[in-house]
Amino acid sequence: MRLLLAGLILCFCSSAFSQPKYEFRGVWIATVDNIDWPKRGVTDVAQQKADFIRILDLHQRNGMNTMVVQVRPAADAFYPSPYEPWSQWLTGVQGKAPSPYYDPLQFMIEETHKRGMEFHAWLNPYRANFNIKTASIAKNHITRVHPEWFITYGDTKYFDPGNLEGQKFVENVVRDIVKRYEVDGIHMDDYFYPYPIGTKEFPDGASYKKSGTTLSRADWRRSNVDTIIHQLSIIIKEEKPLCKFGVSPFCVWRNKSQDPEGSDTKAAINNYDDLYADILLWLKNGWIDYVTPQLYLEIGNERVDYATMVDWWANHSYGRHVYIGHGIYRAYERNKAWKSPDELPNQIKLLRENPNIQGSLYFSSKTFDGNPNGWNDSLRNNYYRLPALIPPMDWLQTKRLEKPDSLEVGYLNTDIRKPEYTLIAYRRKSTYDVRAMIVYISPKKEEVLSRSSKALKFVVTENKRNNAIAFNEFSPADYYKKEKKYFVGSSFEYKNGGESEVSNVITVTRQKNGSVSFSKP
């Protein structure tokens, strides 16, 4: 059946697992080095689109509600950018546009939104040349235009974090994306100052000396990263106040042996001292809306225990959201814990026990292709069997969460065997700040009125009009076939994750001849 909605359809059997109504369920889709998409060597536009749609459909079946897609892996672009060339991982040659021409970012956003999911644009802030030995670098790439902005460390070239012109350039890139595209979030990963290569020093001595700062070199480096995070926070909210800003750092801020606020871990490296990323400062100051620690270690790890770190981050969220990053790719490693089908379910159970943890993010997309340890089945049939709404960020609240002014039913087709209707949630004002129409269906009216997770059936983002959202495949015969009547209502989900009350409730009554009638109680 042709789907004209963003639906998360659920089965109606009971579940042994309690599932939250609000939970972030995301997947990283990496484009650097063609990790997840596009497939290496696939430059055919039709095939790229088909592959991305297949990825989305897989994750929708698994119960996900957010895609975090890498759109700027190395100072290049998966969209037409006025600042950076087309990515080599899109067309095979940096600077070469796709042919026939299309805008991959716009395409990905539209397809993601059709399925009721959020789209977060993932950018790497400082990486400029992924591999100086093998990369395809266009003539207009910023490393050629302004070579003085960059530092080579190992086989990779980075923006010098201490160079203010380079920082401004990155800020302009982010502003451009947020301004032109309907992204739900901007996402930065863990590559700030690069991970240390043995004892080799990052060669920024000249930049440090030129700065004239009285700070120590380590404090100066942290200040450089703090500055760009703060500026990006301002820029994003200037362009779109409801656009979220998140960071996925290495899982350990500092060890307790280094700082009383640190975690009870024995990590060889950490964010604060090695990557110069003071995540706690950003959370305390409200510069970021969520943090996703890359907690790619198993429960019971001797040096960095999963359970220990879940609790630590929950206790250091400072009122912002924490989504745990799961390293499901490790299912293909020779690690006994990750070979166990219970590892991921147990991780989900642990984080759900903590009210200061709002969800999960999985690295990376392609791992799900092989259904490792049967985890796709575990998510679909148990842990993510019921759909979840995006956790609300109350600090992004700008307006009163108004419910639909009315919910109406209209004919979509008049096939006597199985007629279909359209549910339309109307609003007198524009629906610009509305992300989705939430549809509740239940034989118990109170479950609809209370917006119970048991009655939550669909998250609809397609068929959005200026003052309405329509669910175009409402088939009354599909629901509660043994019940004489049931109830339907809808709410609006806003772009900050807040949800309104339900609209008027429609009663669906089955007639003796098999037809249905609708009424508004």
Side-chain angles (χ1 to χ4, degrees):
M1 180 183 291
R2 183 168 57 97
L3 293 180
L4 297 176
L5 63 130
L8 297 172
I9 306 175
L10 38 147
C11 61
F12 302 107
C13 55
S14 62
S15 173
F17 303 99
S18 176
Q19 300 178 48
K21 179 180 177 181
Y22 298 97
E23 186 172 52
F24 186 96
R25 302 171 180 175
V27 179
W28 277 293
I29 300 178
T31 59
V32 65
D33 206 29
N34 299 110
I35 290 175
D36 292 315
W37 181 86
K39 293 179 181 177
R40 189 180 302 278
V42 174
T43 59
D44 178 76
V45 169
Q47 188 61 52
Q48 287 182 352
K49 290 183 175 181
D51 288 342
F52 192 78
I53 288 172
R54 180 196 62 79
I55 289 170
L56 291 181
D57 289 344
L58 168 65
H59 297 319
Q60 184 182 23
R61 290 194 298 272
N62 284 351
M64 304 299 175
N65 58 24
T66 304
M67 296 294 105
V68 181
V69 185
Q70 195 172 32
V71 301
R72 182 188 183 259
D76 53 0
F78 273 74
Y79 59 97
S81 169
Y83 299 102
E84 296 176 320
W86 289 100
S87 177
Q88 72 178 78
W89 294 296
L90 179 69
T91 61
V93 178
Q94 191 178 82
K96 182 180 179 181
S99 180
Y101 181 86
Y102 82 117
D103 182 340
L105 178 53
Q106 184 63 34
F107 166 77
M108 292 188 292
I109 292 171
E110 290 176 357
E111 290 296 328
T112 301
H113 285 170
K114 281 180 184 178
R115 290 158 178 79
M117 302 175 183
E118 283 198 346
F119 185 99
H120 292 215
W122 166 16
L123 298 83
N124 185 277
Y126 292 135
R127 187 171 59 213
N129 184 333
F130 184 66
N131 190 312
I132 59 174
K133 296 178 180 179
T134 61
S136 169
I137 301 297
K139 291 181 180 179
N140 65 335
H141 191 261
I142 195 64
T143 57
R144 294 188 185 276
V145 178
H146 285 288
E148 70 278 11
W149 292 0
F150 299 91
I151 292 175
T152 299
Y153 185 61
D155 292 336
T156 305
K157 188 168 287 189
Y158 300 90
F159 280 88
D160 175 1
N163 185 289
L164 298 180
E165 293 175 291
Q167 176 184 304
K168 183 66 176 178
F169 179 85
V170 174
E171 292 169 6
N172 288 338
V173 168
V174 173
R175 185 186 292 276
D176 175 59
I177 292 173
V178 178
K179 187 173 186 176
R180 290 198 291 130
Y181 293 94
E182 285 301 312
V183 295
D184 301 292
I186 292 293
H187 184 96
M188 297 285 182
D189 57 27
D190 54 323
Y191 291 95
F192 295 102
Y193 277 81
Y195 284 84
I197 302 174
T199 58
K200 186 176 181 180
E201 182 70 21
F202 186 71
D204 60 353
S207 182
Y208 175 58
K209 184 177 180 180
K210 183 179 178 181
S211 73
T213 183
T214 58
L215 296 173
S216 69
R217 195 157 170 180
D219 285 341
W220 170 75
R221 285 175 173 174
R222 278 186 287 273
S223 177
N224 292 333
V225 183
D226 293 343
T227 299
I228 195 169
I229 292 296
H230 186 207
Q231 287 302 115
L232 290 176
S233 174
I234 293 170
I235 286 167
I236 291 166
K237 296 303 189 284
E238 282 179 348
E239 294 298 333
K240 288 190 173 75
L242 297 180
C243 183
K244 302 163 187 176
F245 183 27
V247 174
S248 54
F250 179 69
C251 60
V252 175
W253 174 71
R254 295 188 96 185
N255 297 306
K256 184 180 288 187
S257 61
Q258 299 164 306
D259 191 303
E261 279 294 304
S263 53
D264 188 12
T265 51
K266 299 176 182 177
I269 63 171
N270 66 66
N271 281 293
Y272 187 89
D273 298 292
D274 300 295
L275 306 180
Y276 304 97
D278 191 357
I279 315 298
L280 294 197
L281 177 69
W282 310 344
L283 289 167
K284 289 176 183 176
N285 290 343
W287 295 345
I288 58 178
D289 298 304
Y290 69 86
V291 63
T292 302
Q294 296 181 19
L295 191 45
Y296 296 166
L297 299 163
E298 66 275 9
I299 299 169
N301 184 280
E302 293 182 356
R303 298 183 67 87
V304 182
D305 172 48
Y306 174 89
T308 297
M309 292 311 301
V310 167
D311 286 343
W312 188 89
W313 281 104
N315 292 328
H316 293 82
S317 65
Y318 299 98
R320 290 328 204 204
H321 284 185
V322 179
Y323 312 138
I324 297 299
H326 302 274
I328 57 168
Y329 68 92
R330 300 199 62 200
Y332 297 116
E333 295 180 355
R334 295 180 179 178
N335 181 302
K336 184 178 179 180
W338 287 98
K339 293 296 182 185
S340 169
D342 295 330
E343 181 64 30
L344 182 60
N346 286 340
Q347 290 191 9
I348 294 173
K349 290 176 188 177
L350 275 172
L351 70 86
R352 282 180 172 174
E353 291 174 359
N354 200 311
N356 287 338
I357 304 294
Q358 289 83 15
S360 299
L361 190 51
Y362 297 91
F363 189 85
S364 69
S365 177
K366 72 176 182 181
T367 306
F368 285 108
D369 290 343
N371 191 18
N373 297 321
W375 288 340
N376 289 13
D377 303 309
S378 294
L379 295 178
R380 295 177 192 182
N381 299 326
N382 293 316
Y383 299 95
Y384 290 178
R385 184 182 66 82
L386 301 177
L389 302 182
I390 304 295
M393 293 181 172
D394 295 336
W395 58 91
L396 297 184
Q397 176 65 41
T398 57
K399 296 179 180 179
R400 181 170 171 265
L401 301 177
E402 297 178 342
K403 66 181 181 181
D405 291 312
S406 66
L407 179 65
E408 307 288 343
V409 178
Y411 282 101
L412 193 63
N413 71 58
T414 55
D415 187 335
I416 298 177
R417 294 167 298 178
K418 191 176 182 181
E420 289 185 340
Y421 302 83
T422 179
L423 288 174
I424 307 175
Y426 288 100
R427 187 188 189 195
R428 286 188 292 272
K429 298 178 182 178
S430 168
T431 59
Y432 173 76
D433 55 345
V434 174
R435 190 186 87 85
M437 167 190 180
I438 311 301
V439 179
Y440 293 93
I441 304 175
S442 175
K444 298 178 180 180
K445 184 179 178 182
E446 61 271 20
E447 288 187 349
V448 174
L449 288 171
S450 65
R451 296 171 291 153
S452 168
S453 59
K454 296 177 182 179
L456 174 58
K457 296 297 184 287
F458 297 98
V459 179
V460 184
T461 55
E462 201 179 9
N463 304 307
K464 184 176 177 182
R465 308 167 191 175
N466 182 52
N467 64 339
I469 301 180
F471 168 28
N472 278 350
E473 288 187 358
F474 175 54
S475 180
D478 289 343
Y479 306 100
Y480 305 106
K481 297 178 181 179
K482 295 181 180 180
E483 304 288 341
K484 183 178 179 180
K485 67 178 180 179
Y486 61 85
F487 304 93
V488 181
S490 74
S491 65
F492 280 150
E493 182 189 26
Y494 285 75
K495 291 182 179 179
N496 72 333
E499 185 187 6
S500 74
E501 296 179 352
V502 296
S503 60
N504 53 284
V505 177
I506 294 173
T507 303
V508 181
T509 304
R510 300 182 192 278
Q511 306 300 322
K512 292 183 179 180
N513 62 2
S515 64
V516 296
S517 63
F518 306 99
S519 64
K520 299 178 186 178

